[in-house]
Amino acid sequence: MSLSSASSFPSPGSAAMQANANWPAVGALAFGLFGLVTTELLPIGLIPPMAADLGVSEGAAGQAITATAIVAATTGPILVLFSGRLDRQKVVWMLGLCFLIAALLCVFATTLPLLLAARALLGVALGGTWAMAIALAMRLVPEGSVSRALAVIFTGVSIANVIAAPLGSWLSDILSWRAAFAMSAAFALIALTGQVATMPKLPAATPPSLASFRIALRKPAVLIGLATAFFVLCGNTAGISFLRPFLEGGAQINVTTVSLVLLTFGVAGFFGNLLGGALSARSPALAAGCGALAIAGATAALASQGQLLAVVFVATAVWGIGFGAFPVAISSWNAQAAPDQAESAGALLSTSFQLAIAGGGVLGGLMIERLSETAPIYTAGVAALVGAAVVLLIGRPSERRRTSHQVQRS
């Protein structure tokens, strides 16, 4: 979900940028997004202890991920469309305050409804910040420094993807699951303090219109990308959200080893990000398809041979590489699909990501409740296969035709 936005915001020349780079503000923005993504993903490593403490099933506890994703899916586009008159400095501060309050509410939640309400508030902060972060970074530095500013943002998100699940699992093991959210509250306080201290006044640029969204949705390539993203990420969320219950229950792995497995997934995902970027430069469709196939193969091996520890680590690493590569690849596809409506197409893709995460959390919860710990893992594989078929069998031929046409024109 995390690298989907690079192409979804204005080009550097479309908004007034500073003559001098404001790197402290970029850093504060990047740290805030790092904290938000870390907090979004924490429940992946916390579902069993959260469920036990709150007195609910693991499937119900898994909806903590769903609540955040549903709200984030709607908050981002709404903010892009309707916050044009607000100074972005104040918007960033308000979203940072929402993050802090949400994290504190998670720490003190004593029932599942209270936890879900806190996670919904987190979705407001996440969706709004993610919708604005790249465009803000482009306005905080001169045009020649934009790539470096974006690299700072994406590095923070990549680190969050690596540490969130294993760190949450480790903290819940030595302290409690509430300690993990207390850490998030500390992240939120640091980020908000930095943003208040460094963020300059940023008069709003004009957001995209509803007409631009309609034009983007009429493009077949955009629809192919949205469908592929939804299938792959919905299935992936169903599987990864309930990976810890599978490892502890189905594979009979202890908590310490579970943390190592989740760390393996995160580290592999970081390298998958790099690989996805390199492959996407040649063919976004092929890169997205290969990432989806890697997820399908790895989850099939994990579900069928998960009793072997070596298979668990290897399959999880391959899964992480595939998942790390996929968002970068599908974002590159999205950028090429609608270059004239980059903001709108990017907002649509971001919404597709969050809806897929929400749907995956619900689907995985139903699977583990009604079938077994293995069912969500198989679900991830089947959904990834469907997504791979869409982008490789439908998207790849259209990509070849588009490339051939561009070569002929040049």
Side-chain angles (χ1 to χ4, degrees):
M1 80 207 83
S2 306
L3 299 177
S4 64
S5 308
S7 61
S8 64
F9 296 95
S11 62
S14 65
M17 293 180 293
Q18 298 202 159
N20 298 315
N22 188 337
W23 289 112
V26 172
L29 187 65
F31 188 83
L33 196 56
F34 156 79
L36 282 163
V37 174
T38 298
T39 307
E40 179 190 23
L41 300 178
L42 274 179
I44 291 174
L46 301 176
I47 287 177
M50 282 196 310
D53 188 34
L54 297 176
V56 298
S57 68
E58 292 180 347
Q63 303 319 305
I65 299 172
T66 306
T68 301
I70 288 176
V71 176
T74 56
T75 301
I78 289 173
L79 187 69
V80 168
L81 282 171
F82 298 113
S83 66
R85 296 183 179 180
L86 297 177
D87 190 300
R88 293 314 193 245
Q89 178 199 63
K90 302 301 188 298
V91 176
V92 169
W93 293 355
M94 288 188 291
L95 291 172
L97 184 60
C98 283
F99 177 22
L100 177 59
I101 295 172
L104 289 173
L105 289 176
C106 286
V107 174
F108 297 106
T110 56
T111 66
L112 182 61
L114 288 176
L115 178 64
L116 295 181
R119 296 287 296 181
L121 183 60
L122 177 70
V124 173
L126 176 65
T129 303
W130 191 243
M132 295 175 58
I134 310 302
L136 288 174
M138 289 178 169
R139 299 179 63 187
L140 291 170
V141 300
E143 184 172 352
S145 300
V146 168
S147 296
R148 184 180 172 193
L150 296 181
V152 171
I153 297 249
F154 286 140
T155 298
V157 172
S158 295
I159 293 172
N161 282 321
V162 170
I163 72 168
L167 183 59
S169 178
W170 177 71
L171 284 174
S172 70
D173 185 32
I174 65 171
L175 295 173
S176 72
W177 65 271
R178 298 179 188 278
F181 286 111
M183 174 195 65
S184 293
F187 287 164
L189 181 60
I190 293 170
L192 179 59
T193 301
Q195 289 162 1
V196 170
T198 63
M199 193 66 61
K201 290 186 177 296
L202 294 169
T206 303
S209 65
L210 289 174
S212 65
F213 280 89
R214 289 195 294 268
I215 293 171
L217 284 171
R218 293 194 186 107
K219 296 179 180 291
V222 171
L223 297 178
I224 290 171
L226 295 179
T228 301
F230 182 83
F231 279 117
V232 174
L233 294 176
C234 181
N236 187 85
T237 303
I240 197 64
S241 296
F242 297 96
L243 179 58
R244 179 172 174 176
F246 165 76
L247 294 174
E248 291 182 351
Q252 298 294 310
I253 295 176
N254 61 48
V255 173
T256 301
T257 306
V258 168
S259 296
L260 292 176
V261 172
L262 294 175
L263 180 62
T264 299
F265 179 89
V267 172
F270 177 80
F271 288 103
N273 283 338
L274 303 179
L275 180 60
L279 292 177
S280 296
R282 304 182 64 181
S283 169
L286 191 59
C290 288
L293 289 176
I295 294 171
T299 50
L302 188 63
S304 61
Q305 302 295 324
Q307 69 276 12
L308 302 174
L309 190 59
V311 173
V312 168
F313 275 99
V314 172
T316 302
V318 174
W319 186 357
I321 290 172
F323 176 65
F326 180 79
V328 183
I330 205 65
S331 296
S332 298
W333 169 273
N334 187 66
Q336 294 184 13
D340 296 332
Q341 291 83 34
E343 280 193 354
S344 300
L348 289 169
L349 184 64
S350 177
T351 297
S352 179
F353 273 33
Q354 296 299 333
L355 289 176
I357 292 170
V362 173
L363 181 61
L366 291 174
M367 290 291 156
I368 198 171
E369 290 288 335
R370 300 186 179 183
L371 297 175
S372 67
E373 296 96 340
T374 308
I377 310 301
Y378 277 123
T379 300
V382 173
L385 274 179
V386 175
V390 172
V391 74
L392 292 176
L393 299 181
I394 303 175
R396 178 64 173 150
S398 68
E399 181 183 62
R400 286 172 176 163
R401 289 192 296 270
R402 184 169 61 247
T403 304
S404 177
H405 181 66
Q406 290 172 348
V407 170
Q408 290 175 2
R409 291 184 60 183
S410 62

